Amino acid sequence: MKPINVGLLGIGTVGGGTYTVLKRNAEEITRRAGRPIRITTVADKNLELARSVAAGDEVKLSDDAFAVVADPEVDIVVELIGGYGIARELVLKAIENGKHVVTANKALLAVHGNEIFAAAQKKGVMVAFEAAVAGGIPIIKALREGLSANRIQWLAGIINGTTNFILSEMRDKGLPFAEVLKEAQALGYAEADPTFDIEGVDAAHKATIMSAIAFGIPMQFDKAYVEGITKLQAVDIAYAEQLGYRIKLLGIARRRDEGVELRVHPTLIPEKRLIANVEGAMNAVLVQGDAVGATLYYGKGAGAEPTASAVIADLVDVTRLHTADPEHRVPHLAFQPDQMQDVAVLPIDEVVTSYYLRLRVEDKPGVLADITRILADSQISIDAMIQKEPAEGEAQTDIIMLTHQTVEKNANAAIAKIEALPVVQGKVTRLRLENL
Amino acid sequence: MKPINVGLLGIGTVGGGTYTVLKRNAEEITRRAGRPIRITTVADKNLELARSVAAGDEVKLSDDAFAVVADPEVDIVVELIGGYGIARELVLKAIENGKHVVTANKALLAVHGNEIFAAAQKKGVMVAFEAAVAGGIPIIKALREGLSANRIQWLAGIINGTTNFILSEMRDKGLPFAEVLKEAQALGYAEADPTFDIEGVDAAHKATIMSAIAFGIPMQFDKAYVEGITKLQAVDIAYAEQLGYRIKLLGIARRRDEGVELRVHPTLIPEKRLIANVEGAMNAVLVQGDAVGATLYYGKGAGAEPTASAVIADLVDVTRLHTADPEHRVPHLAFQPDQMQDVAVLPIDEVVTSYYLRLRVEDKPGVLADITRILADSQISIDAMIQKEPAEGEAQTDIIMLTHQTVEKNANAAIAKIEALPVVQGKVTRLRLENL
């Protein structure tokens, strides 16, 4: 089947990730999309960088992005340049030329989205932007399609990894903001100029986009209330903790009769909530719908490959919809019907997992040595162990062990040997353990 | 625009929820789908029940489901009868008659899915089944579309609310399985015959469906390893906790070079993991992709309206794809372009939220009374408070208060009055609090 041709604008972090993942998973992505998705042109001012990423591949390289959006061979333009300036011109030009657009540019959409979507609608092309909010988490798809039965009441998200990392560190180490920011910059979690992140602007861009999709309203970034974390003091994080709360930078959109609340600010959240336990650079969005109740979406909100995951999901979506006919709708089982593989399900004996073992043993010297010897002979490593003191007046006690991974049949054989030891009473209780 | 006509088979819990939500949110759903989605016929053996649900509406009622799947007026058949028997016949008949099908029937798909999808593919119709796995959580959509860039490595889900409720109660109360099961039945969390839930069969149906979508393999329910929670002992839950683990009934699908692992069994999970903290009847699925890393999806896995949320999302999807042309693709902002509403974003002064207040005050009698009087006069209730003892040699101390919800301008006015008190030092630190 004829490939769909992609022009990639910008080969930085996300562009590089997109290039790499699309190449690495080409076979599987084609099985899902129904036709190959092929990057035919890469444009970047840094031609040297483009050359090194695309080394050995049959790809046109250019330092002229405007030539790419005019290229008649290109079906989809992927805009990964960022910012409001040249990116806006390129996206509008691509639309004008009848090309579908995939972008990760939240600033552009929050500020110029209304103009861009109107142009796309007029021209009958798609502008897809899953990567603009919460990186690899498919939150745009969930809001736009997965929850379409609901009157969405509110959503609240940890949608900026830099600030969540800083807040996690401030809490864990009791350090002031300025010091943790320096650490975050050294570790690459914060940029040299972190203003957009720490002042809440980036989160406000994303909250603006989500509010539009959730409530069916235009982008209104200029009306958003934006407060960052720069004034947050470690003492308040500590007091909040004493009261049972965590402080997170949330992007909040809430529908009320009078209008819509759209705001970003440091927020206390009860520590029992799942979202309060989202730590480090991770993102999560909580959505409240009138039918479904609360649902939560969690994952990596930034980085080359997580963001590329969203960019490419959009490419697959556009490919499936662009060629919409009964054979190219979204396939029932994700992969095209003629692309299913007959891979065998393994018998449980062949499964690889870790184990929890509980044994009832006589409280005698050497018992533990016998048991651990059997495990060692079976190449099963012990990860943790509890040996209880026998209860008052009892001669027996419990031993609990956690093992490292092994094949189930190997574990079963070892357990049979352990059960055959005269000092072991009855059957070994065996549960499987996954570190996930 | 011409409505799309739905024939609803089964008006029990999920059928009733679907009917109710589709009616309640009709306006918003039409704004998203691009045309009205209208239930024209309801079939149920219990005509009395059907009559009471549809009372006053213009809907045909019937006790003959086969007449509905043959009705030329019906565009989409929603199958909510359940089981492998009559449901299979009806779904195949509907497909044969060229109708799209939406179903919540995991047993049917896990066992007969290969046959059903082949028939649908041949006929060029869609069979949508978001409601079959994890109720209102859009996990099918995430796996099939949101993560389509990834080579999915494994997934692990808490996909049966009954067993998760039982396990949560066993842990919280230290009670044995049989006793908690009775409680769950009394509370309606477990059915009179709970076999499919507690023996892991329901979870295995769902894991089978997810494995097919994740890896592009046929349904192989008969190869799944299925172990329920009936033999789990409270003592092992307690020992696991001492070692830092929780026990959950997981459905696991993992890709290995040799084949696919597909298994359901009680599993120890490190308690620090978000998924280990999914309690009660809630569901969650963790998916590991090679590009995105781990993502998690959380929400209600059962119940009338959460499941209806997924059924109706499928109806919207089918409607959008069925009428696929540039105007009826998935709209950029979820709602059709001519259905956006110009709702105002409220200024931050009008936002309603709770507050954390930190004040530095002189340690004198009456200070607290003055402050609480100001808050009471402003109709601001106090939810919690900490008053610290002054540090050694200091005459001042911190008061920390959490308030109930109020309008921000009201909070600001009260804070200004508090700051004007002679005993209050400097500015009040104010953070917003959301109970989410």
Side-chain angles (χ1 to χ4, degrees), chain A residues 154 156 250 252 254 268-270 273 275 286 288, chain B residues 434-436:
Chain A
W154 53 261
L250 289 189
I252 296 173
R254 174 180 283 147
L268 278 77
I269 318 171
R273 299 281 183 282
I275 195 172
L286 189 59
Q288 178 79 24
Chain B
E434 296 285 345
N435 282 304
L436 298 182

Side-chain angles (χ1 to χ4, degrees), chain A residues 3 5 30 42 66 74 89 115 129 140 146 148 154 171 200 214 249 254 284 289 315 350 383 391 427:
Chain A
N5 292 333
T30 305
V42 173
F66 283 95
V74 166
E89 284 180 56
E115 178 190 14
F129 51 96
I140 297 298
S148 56
W154 53 261
R171 184 175 77 87
L249 184 71
R254 174 180 283 147
L315 286 172
E350 297 299 332
D383 185 43
K427 299 296 253 181

Side-chain angles (χ1 to χ4, degrees), chain A residues 60-313:
Chain A
K60 282 188 280 183
L61 304 178
S62 167
D63 58 0
D64 180 7
F66 283 95
V68 176
V69 302
D71 183 344
E73 266 211 339
V74 166
D75 302 305
I76 309 177
V77 169
V78 176
E79 184 275 304
L80 299 172
I81 295 171
Y84 320 91
I86 196 91
R88 175 175 159 275
E89 284 180 56
L90 286 164
V91 166
L92 288 171
K93 206 69 177 162
I95 292 168
E96 196 184 310
N97 293 336
K99 301 190 188 311
H100 304 294
V101 174
V102 172
T103 177
N105 192 335
K106 48 249 173 194
L108 176 66
L109 294 181
V111 176
H112 298 291
N114 300 327
E115 178 190 14
I116 289 168
F117 294 123
Q121 201 63 35
K122 208 170 138 195
K123 204 70 191 171
V125 297
M126 284 171 271
V127 175
F129 51 96
E130 183 62 78
V133 181
I137 307 170
I139 182 65
I140 297 298
K141 187 167 281 289
L143 285 170
R144 191 166 56 187
E145 302 166 42
L147 303 178
S148 56
N150 292 268
R151 188 168 165 84
I152 293 173
Q153 295 154 324
W154 53 261
L155 58 86
I158 296 172
I159 43 181
N160 181 275
T162 302
T163 46
N164 203 52
F165 174 83
I166 291 173
L167 293 176
S168 292
E169 289 288 296
M170 285 176 74
R171 184 175 77 87
D172 281 358
K173 303 184 177 166
L175 292 174
F177 170 77
E179 202 164 318
V180 176
L181 174 61
K182 268 183 216 151
E183 181 203 336
Q185 286 172 315
L187 289 169
Y189 285 113
E191 294 182 41
D193 177 1
T195 313
F196 261 37
D197 292 318
I198 63 178
E199 296 294 0
V201 178
D202 175 73
H205 286 147
K206 295 166 181 167
T208 299
I209 294 172
M210 289 196 290
S211 75
I213 301 177
F215 308 136
I217 60 174
M219 304 280 176
Q220 298 175 70
F221 172 69
D222 55 325
K223 304 278 174 53
Y225 173 80
V226 189
E227 180 183 325
I229 63 166
T230 54
K231 287 177 203 141
L232 193 64
Q233 295 175 56
V235 61
D236 293 308
I237 294 176
Y239 280 138
E241 195 157 14
Q242 287 179 39
L243 289 156
Y245 291 79
R246 301 271 167 87
I247 300 182
K248 298 287 181 187
L249 184 71
L250 289 189
I252 296 173
R254 174 180 283 147
R255 170 138 65 174
R256 283 175 38 207
D257 291 342
E258 304 87 332
V260 165
E261 296 184 1
L262 179 57
R263 48 192 170 104
V264 170
H265 50 69
T267 315
L268 278 77
I269 318 171
E271 68 187 3
K272 291 270 178 194
R273 299 281 183 282
L274 228 45
I275 195 172
N277 294 284
V278 171
E279 300 293 352
M282 301 305 281
N283 280 19
V285 181
L286 189 59
V287 184
Q288 178 79 24
D290 70 337
V292 74
T295 53
L296 180 118
Y297 308 83
Y298 165 89
K300 284 187 186 142
E305 294 210 357
T307 311
S309 172
V311 169
I312 297 169

